[in-house]
Amino acid sequence: MVCTEEYKTGIDYRIVGLILGPLLAIAILLGPNIGAEFAPKDYPYAPKLALAMLVWTFVWWVASPLPLGVTALLPAVFSSVVAGFAPQAIGYTSTSAAVSDIWKTYMSTTIVLFLGGFMIAGALAEVGMDKRIAYALAASRFGRRNLHTLALALWTSCWFVSMWISNTAAAAIMYPIALGVITAVPRLSTKYQEFLMLGLGYAATMGGLATIIGTPPNLIAVQQAAQAGVQIPFFSFMILGVPTAIIGLLVCFFVMLLYFRPEKEMAPEAIKVVEEEKAKLGKMTREQWIVTIGFILAVFMWIARGFPAIFESIGLTDLAKSTEIITKILPDDCVPPIIIAIALFAFPKFFTKKPLKTILTWEGVNRYISWDILLIFGGGLVIGNALLKTGLGKWLAVSTGALFGGLSPFIIFLVAALTAYFLTQFTSNTSTAAMICPIVIALAIEGGFGKITAAQASIIAGIMASIAITLPISTPPNAIVFGSGKIQLKNMIANGLIIGLILLVVFSAIWIYGLPHIPVVVK
């Protein structure tokens, strides 16, 4: 959610935020130094500079007076100006080195990974494979059993598609199918209609938790962990991400089943709607086959990059060494999707027809690339760098420890989970992750708890930033399904709070106890 509405008071909070952000930054800059004992030598004001930048950016991200992507450029501009006067204050030896490093952050390998993910998702959508996958799952034998399993089949379709494309697109694809079931089936209770539609929005959110590219907060959390010295490969993330997403979907299903208690008996009309929509798609086209093969190859390459670490972890040292060639050919997770994207841009639709038309075109795929999200990633990385290099992170760690009577990994995890969960209900989940992940990373590193603890805290914050399920304005899938008119606000709030608090505990436990046992690279 972003604060873009004018409320009953007549106050436009965008204007308030527009003015308040720089005013607070100026007040901090004119105030006393903070954390001077942790600052770079001869620059006692450095933490204050980082705090001013942090507060200004946060206020504009929350109030959204500017597009989120534009605000994400503010940390780089602020840091560049500081570097012009005192590069040593932000951890650099020269202005040119500082400015170059700051702006290169916006095209890091992690951001390129997400760009490649956008392109592959765009390819799937351009040729209609996203709908084909969704209808196939919804019309499966499992979905035909009763109304409960039909709902779960529709949700699972949305959940699976959401693993690879945006949550919003996944919800938008399944929304007309679910609405068609409600319209076609006579005498469906309002409880079932509400159960079906609300669960669809939640399923889109849960599916995004399974992969690094499933939702922006995942990638922000992973890139912040990498910045702290812990690289989590794509397949390693899925080892915990897929169970996280499955548990999230099942918790939603059973909690809502107990809450709404909808009818169970199946009506033939429900299956007929789904089958008719599936039949309209016809047979798979040549383009769909090509894109599907490309998608499968990209997933295989992501998984294959983890083979050496997996074999090493189970004692197969010789096999691990023999598969190291894979990581030389594919040195980073950003390489596979870019390889496939380039291939799809180059592959002709037809070899005999002129003029040449390829499977992917820039005009087509550009509709699916969220440039603002890519910029927010970069802004979050710049903030993270500033926290660690100016001493502000150390000051925050000491201050948080004093507030709780002592800092510990448990306190850091608690701060990460609660802050991200409650803030994301009212602000963009991407900007929430970009705000919280660098802070909890700094708390862990500067608190002396090690890189793995920092990575755990970052992932917990990223995962909980995605659980924006309490209000229609919390996330686009919620807004889409709420727009059906079938959902009461009080029921969305009640289910969102119950499910959210359960998942806060469960998801935190999964990543706290699971992360040390998956193949990661600690630098």
Side-chain angles (χ1 to χ4, degrees):
M1 171 264 182
V2 289
C3 302
T4 57
E5 296 184 21
E6 189 171 312
Y7 295 92
K8 292 180 180 179
T9 58
I11 299 173
D12 188 335
Y13 286 90
R14 291 171 300 180
I15 295 176
V16 173
L18 182 66
I19 298 169
L20 185 62
L23 281 182
L24 288 175
I26 291 170
I28 292 168
L29 292 173
L30 294 178
N33 290 334
I34 57 167
E37 64 273 30
F38 309 119
K41 187 179 178 181
D42 299 327
Y43 296 94
Y45 54 83
K48 182 171 67 174
L49 293 174
L51 183 63
M53 176 187 72
L54 190 72
V55 170
W56 189 349
T57 305
F58 282 14
V59 170
W60 276 12
W61 264 340
V62 172
S64 298
L66 277 65
L68 295 178
V70 175
T71 298
L73 296 171
L74 179 62
V77 172
F78 195 103
S79 297
S80 296
V81 172
V82 172
F85 289 94
Q88 294 82 2
I90 53 175
Y92 294 95
T93 56
S94 67
T95 297
S96 59
V99 173
S100 175
D101 192 59
I102 288 164
W103 288 100
K104 279 194 298 187
T105 303
Y106 288 86
M107 196 46 71
S108 68
T109 55
T110 312
I111 294 174
V112 174
L113 165 62
F114 214 72
L115 176 62
F118 278 142
M119 289 182 176
I120 290 180
L124 289 169
E126 275 290 285
V127 300
M129 271 309 298
D130 50 357
K131 291 183 180 179
R132 188 174 289 279
I133 293 168
Y135 287 132
L137 289 170
S140 65
R141 183 178 299 180
F142 175 77
R144 298 166 179 267
R145 294 175 60 184
N146 56 59
L147 286 175
H148 291 178
T149 59
L150 174 63
L152 187 56
L154 288 169
W155 298 358
T156 303
S157 303
C158 189
W159 173 89
F160 180 78
V161 172
S162 182
M163 289 170 62
W164 312 104
I165 69 173
S166 80
N167 301 350
T168 305
I173 289 167
M174 296 305 300
Y175 175 80
I177 305 173
L179 206 59
V181 169
I182 289 173
T183 305
V185 179
R187 298 181 299 279
L188 275 180
S189 69
T190 55
K191 281 187 176 182
Y192 184 83
Q193 295 178 36
E194 193 168 5
F195 168 76
L196 178 63
M197 297 307 295
L198 184 56
L200 193 68
Y202 289 173
T205 296
M206 298 306 154
L209 303 177
T211 65
I212 289 178
I213 61 170
T215 188
N218 287 4
L219 192 56
I220 290 172
V222 169
Q223 71 181 5
Q224 291 290 346
Q227 206 168 18
V230 180
Q231 290 186 344
I232 306 174
F234 194 95
F235 180 66
S236 296
F237 186 93
M238 287 184 69
I239 292 173
L240 293 180
V242 172
T244 297
I246 292 172
I247 291 170
L249 181 66
L250 292 177
V251 167
C252 289
F253 178 71
F254 287 112
V255 167
M256 293 174 64
L257 205 59
L258 290 172
Y259 184 91
F260 288 107
R261 300 186 183 277
E263 67 270 30
K264 189 175 183 180
E265 185 179 350
M266 173 63 79
E269 295 92 336
I271 291 298
K272 185 179 178 183
V273 170
V274 178
E275 287 183 337
E276 285 177 352
E277 292 297 323
K278 182 184 175 185
K280 289 178 185 177
L281 298 176
K283 293 182 179 181
M284 280 185 65
T285 64
R286 180 173 177 273
E287 291 91 339
Q288 288 175 337
W289 278 112
I290 293 169
V291 171
T292 302
I293 291 169
F295 169 71
I296 293 170
L297 284 174
V299 174
F300 175 76
M301 286 189 282
W302 275 321
I303 294 172
R305 284 195 72 253
F307 285 170
I310 293 169
F311 293 143
E312 185 72 37
S313 66
I314 59 176
L316 301 176
T317 307
D318 292 340
L319 196 54
K321 288 181 179 179
S322 65
T323 54
E324 283 180 356
I325 186 67
I326 297 173
T327 56
K328 292 180 179 179
I329 297 171
L330 305 170
D332 192 272
D333 279 332
C334 72
V335 177
I338 297 299
I339 290 174
I340 298 303
I342 291 173
L344 293 175
F345 274 112
F347 204 94
K349 284 187 176 181
F350 302 98
F351 288 96
T352 56
K353 292 185 178 181
K354 296 181 180 180
L356 174 68
K357 290 185 178 179
T358 56
I359 299 292
L360 270 189
T361 63
W362 183 252
E363 293 75 17
V365 79
N366 194 43
R367 295 197 297 269
Y368 304 95
I369 299 175
S370 298
W371 296 104
D372 57 336
I373 289 176
L374 299 178
L375 291 173
I376 290 171
F377 292 154
L381 283 176
V382 173
I383 289 171
N385 276 328
L387 283 171
L388 295 175
K389 290 181 178 179
T390 62
L392 180 62
K394 183 71 172 179
W395 178 77
L396 287 172
V398 172
S399 301
T400 304
L403 181 65
F404 287 97
L407 197 62
S408 68
F410 174 77
I411 294 297
I412 294 171
F413 299 149
L414 188 66
V415 169
L418 289 176
T419 308
Y421 172 67
F422 286 108
L423 186 59
T424 196
Q425 308 305 324
F426 306 100
T427 66
S428 155
N429 58 8
T430 305
S431 56
T432 296
M435 286 187 254
I436 304 302
C437 289
I439 292 176
V440 295
I441 286 276
L443 291 179
I445 295 294
E446 302 298 349
F449 298 108
K451 296 176 180 179
I452 292 295
T453 298
Q456 290 168 317
S458 181
I459 297 296
I460 289 169
I463 293 288
M464 293 315 302
S466 291
I467 310 301
I469 57 176
T470 305
L471 298 168
I473 53 176
S474 296
T475 189
N478 280 19
I480 288 170
V481 297
F482 190 77
S484 67
K486 307 295 182 183
I487 300 169
Q488 295 185 61
L489 181 59
K490 65 177 183 179
N491 291 333
M492 178 178 278
I493 293 172
N495 280 276
L497 286 173
I498 295 168
I499 293 168
L501 293 174
I502 292 172
L503 295 182
L504 187 149
V505 176
V506 174
F507 289 172
S508 297
I510 289 172
W511 286 93
I512 289 171
Y513 293 107
L515 185 60
H517 299 98
I518 62 173
V520 298
V521 179
V522 181
K523 293 185 176 180

